[in-house]
Amino acid sequence: MYYFSIPDSSKTRVGNMAMLHLMREYPEWFYDDFKIDVAYGCPPSCIWNGGRAENGDRYSQLEFASVINLFKNHGVKYRLNFTNQCLKEEHLSDGYGNAIAEVVNDFGGEVAATLSLMTDYMANKYSNLDIVWSTSTDYGQSVDERIERINQLLKKYKVVLPYNFNNTADLDKFKCPENIEILVCDGCKDNCELRSQHQLMVSQSIIRGVFDENLNYCQRNADGNVKSLLEQDVSHFRSSVGRNKLPWYADKGINKFKILGRDCVISIFIEGLVDYLIKPEYQEEVRQDLLRRVLTREIFEKKP
């Protein structure tokens, strides 16, 4: 069984709900070897967020609880992305961050973080939240240092593995493979030299309260010009993990996979869900149906 984490944001939530509804209505359209285990994201305008800059109205606790409950009704846990790399002690008293953490804690979800400051705070204050270490963590300078550090974490936590380890022999050096989560379709070029800089820029921007969604694009071509995911074919990247590669990971004891969510471009989001969850003969029909539902915000129509 493959366990998938899917991206959730204000832009993609309708698509998520439509997909989960279709799974109940038309199970024959879907592969029968997977479970959507987690929806991951962070409500708009939260300074603890570090993965993507998303502006918008802040939720009340009641509003956010209704979102979490929708996923729970489909057997899906919620994972908060508290991955801002610039957090300091004084930021831990942020009222909005604590309010949404309390909601997910009440439902028994997860929290992904990239700093010990945040993981320690969450573990001490919100005991119902399982800790996940984010792929954006700086695990060390050399490959051996990274592997050693990750192996230490894997003894206790789920770890979203840095995508540069995808499809490499180094995977055999990791212990506790049952705690590894693979980012299957990152979209960033292999060994992107701008990735760390970009993630730091996003974190700095959010801490300042500047939620510039243009910062969510770090993909670049060879001459350094910015390219969005819509302008490039990422399937040739060495780190890309197609669905036909999943059994290879399962043979290594790895069965957790994370679908791209950094940019939350609707068409890319839908493509990820369709590629990994839907049987080929139904993919085009579902792709068009999900896009229509997202654009019209229609979720529970009986028939696609």
Side-chain angles (χ1 to χ4, degrees):
M1 181 69 69
Y2 307 124
Y3 295 89
F4 282 98
S5 299
I6 62 173
D8 174 63
S9 76
S10 57
K11 293 180 180 179
T12 64
R13 188 162 299 129
V14 171
N16 282 330
M17 290 298 110
M19 176 66 77
L20 292 169
H21 180 67
L22 288 177
M23 287 177 64
R24 285 184 175 176
E25 291 291 314
Y26 307 97
E28 68 275 12
W29 293 2
F30 293 79
Y31 292 107
D32 58 6
D33 58 0
F34 79 92
K35 179 183 186 306
I36 296 179
D37 190 44
V38 172
Y40 67 91
C42 187
S45 303
C46 177
I47 65 167
W48 289 355
N49 186 15
R52 58 202 54 80
E54 186 178 0
N55 199 3
D57 295 334
R58 290 185 164 187
Y59 292 127
S60 68
Q61 285 185 301
L62 184 61
E63 289 169 332
F64 192 45
S66 69
V67 170
I68 308 305
N69 196 49
L70 282 173
F71 285 108
K72 182 182 178 181
N73 288 340
H74 288 274
V76 179
K77 295 177 293 188
Y78 199 89
R79 177 192 301 168
L80 286 165
N81 272 15
F82 288 163
T83 54
N84 196 299
Q85 299 179 35
C86 299
L87 294 175
K88 298 187 179 352
E89 189 77 33
E90 61 264 27
H91 297 125
L92 297 180
S93 61
D94 179 72
Y96 185 50
N98 280 286
I100 59 179
E102 183 177 330
V103 170
V104 180
N105 182 70
D106 288 344
F107 281 90
E110 300 180 347
V111 58
T114 189
L115 297 175
S116 296
L117 174 73
M118 178 56 74
T119 58
D120 291 347
Y121 180 72
M122 289 289 119
N124 290 330
K125 188 165 184 178
Y126 302 105
S127 58
N128 287 333
L129 290 178
D130 292 329
I131 304 296
V132 180
W133 279 88
S134 169
T135 185
S136 58
T137 301
D138 180 7
Y139 292 110
Q141 295 302 310
S142 70
V143 172
D144 288 342
E145 286 176 329
R146 295 188 186 105
I147 292 173
E148 181 180 1
R149 171 61 173 152
I150 292 170
N151 275 330
Q152 292 173 356
L153 293 169
L154 285 169
K155 293 176 183 178
K156 188 176 181 181
Y157 305 109
K158 187 190 301 183
V159 176
V160 183
L161 210 64
Y163 75 110
N164 287 330
F165 285 112
N166 288 6
N167 307 326
T168 68
D170 286 327
L171 285 171
D172 293 327
K173 299 177 183 178
F174 292 110
K175 302 171 184 178
C176 305
E178 68 277 6
N179 288 338
I180 290 175
E181 185 169 293
I182 297 293
L183 184 59
V184 293
C185 50
D186 183 79
C188 205
K189 71 178 184 178
D190 297 333
N191 300 303
C192 178
E193 68 279 1
L194 298 169
R195 185 180 180 85
S196 295
Q197 175 188 351
H198 169 255
Q199 291 175 337
L200 182 61
M201 287 172 57
V202 173
S203 290
Q204 291 171 336
S205 173
I206 293 174
I207 282 288
R208 295 195 304 268
V210 180
F211 296 87
D212 182 1
E213 296 191 20
N214 291 324
L215 286 174
N216 289 336
Y217 294 95
C218 69
Q219 292 74 29
R220 295 170 185 261
N221 59 18
D223 61 8
N225 293 324
V226 176
K227 298 183 74 175
S228 78
L229 287 170
L230 294 174
E231 297 176 290
Q232 61 180 334
D233 175 17
V234 301
S235 62
H236 66 281
F237 290 167
R238 191 241 345 126
S239 58
S240 179
V241 178
R243 204 186 200 282
N244 61 354
K245 191 77 171 181
L246 300 188
W248 183 80
Y249 283 87
D251 287 344
K252 297 179 181 297
I254 300 171
N255 65 353
K256 297 178 180 63
F257 303 95
K258 180 179 178 181
I259 295 176
L260 174 72
R262 180 166 298 279
D263 297 289
C264 291
V265 177
I266 294 301
S267 58
I268 299 299
F269 157 75
I270 290 175
E271 204 63 34
L273 293 184
V274 168
D275 284 350
Y276 291 96
L277 309 184
I278 303 294
K279 295 176 181 177
E281 59 267 33
Y282 301 110
Q283 286 186 356
E284 185 56 32
E285 184 175 2
V286 173
R287 184 181 292 112
Q288 295 302 319
D289 182 66
L290 286 180
L291 181 59
R292 175 180 59 80
R293 291 173 188 263
V294 169
L295 294 177
T296 62
R297 303 197 65 78
E298 173 192 341
I299 301 177
F300 298 115
E301 185 186 58
K302 269 290 183 184
K303 196 171 183 180

